[in-house]
Amino acid sequence: MEEVESTISKSQPRLTLRQVAAELNYKDELATRRWLKKNGIQKHRLAKENFVYQIEFDLVFDRPYVNSLRMKHPQKWKEIYRRACKDDTLYELMVMEIEESTPRIPMTKVSLRSKSDDKRYKSLLV
């Protein structure tokens, strides 16, 4: 038998605006468009059909869950999310996005004992 070449698209899966509305339980397309704009998801058009990339939708949709995991389990939220996440690519993108947006805040309070300590501390902050 001859092997048939696959003609399935290798690009990212897409969701039509109707599918997005169904996921969000919206009945109105205008409300769906507002939600997409509010969450920074760009809408694309191909042959009279508006769509969004599913990975962008999933990132925004999972973000509240991931933020709650970070609050409840600050040390092992990544491990918990990896097990709950349906896709490795989604997991990797979410972790990258969260780590880029998280400011590095020192967790240790410094107590200064003298003026020279204060000068040293201020020079380190600059």
Side-chain angles (χ1 to χ4, degrees):
M1 287 183 93
E2 289 183 34
E3 196 162 320
V4 179
E5 279 189 45
S6 174
T7 57
I8 298 173
S9 174
K10 303 280 189 228
S11 68
Q12 288 289 323
R14 300 175 214 145
L15 295 172
T16 64
L17 293 189
R18 286 186 202 116
Q19 291 170 319
V20 172
E23 284 285 324
L24 297 172
N25 292 325
Y26 286 171
K27 294 179 181 174
D28 185 15
E29 188 173 317
L30 183 60
T32 305
R33 290 175 189 258
R34 282 188 199 132
W35 187 89
L36 292 171
K37 186 175 181 177
K38 176 184 164 196
N39 288 288
I41 299 176
Q42 187 175 2
K43 172 176 55 106
H44 304 279
R45 187 170 181 87
L46 180 66
K48 297 184 180 182
E49 184 79 298
N50 290 317
F51 69 91
V52 297
Y53 288 105
Q54 185 168 359
I55 192 78
E56 285 184 304
F57 176 79
D58 290 342
L59 278 169
V60 171
F61 201 73
D62 280 4
R63 193 175 295 131
Y65 173 65
V66 172
N67 286 336
S68 71
L69 283 178
R70 288 179 61 218
M71 295 298 289
K72 290 178 188 173
H73 311 282
Q75 301 302 321
K76 54 183 181 172
W77 70 269
K78 289 180 190 177
E79 181 182 333
I80 295 168
Y81 183 58
R82 180 183 293 278
R83 292 178 189 220
C85 188
K86 63 182 178 182
D87 185 359
D88 287 338
T89 306
L90 180 61
Y91 168 79
E92 295 293 333
L93 286 172
M94 182 66 78
V95 170
M96 270 181 21
E97 186 178 290
I98 297 269
E99 287 179 347
E100 284 178 1
S101 67
T102 306
R104 301 288 179 197
I105 300 171
M107 302 303 286
T108 307
K109 185 171 180 170
V110 178
S111 61
L112 306 173
R113 295 182 180 183
S114 67
K115 289 186 179 187
S116 63
D117 284 349
D118 188 39
K119 288 179 185 177
R120 212 175 277 135
Y121 179 69
K122 287 180 180 178
S123 71
L124 289 173
L125 290 178
V126 176

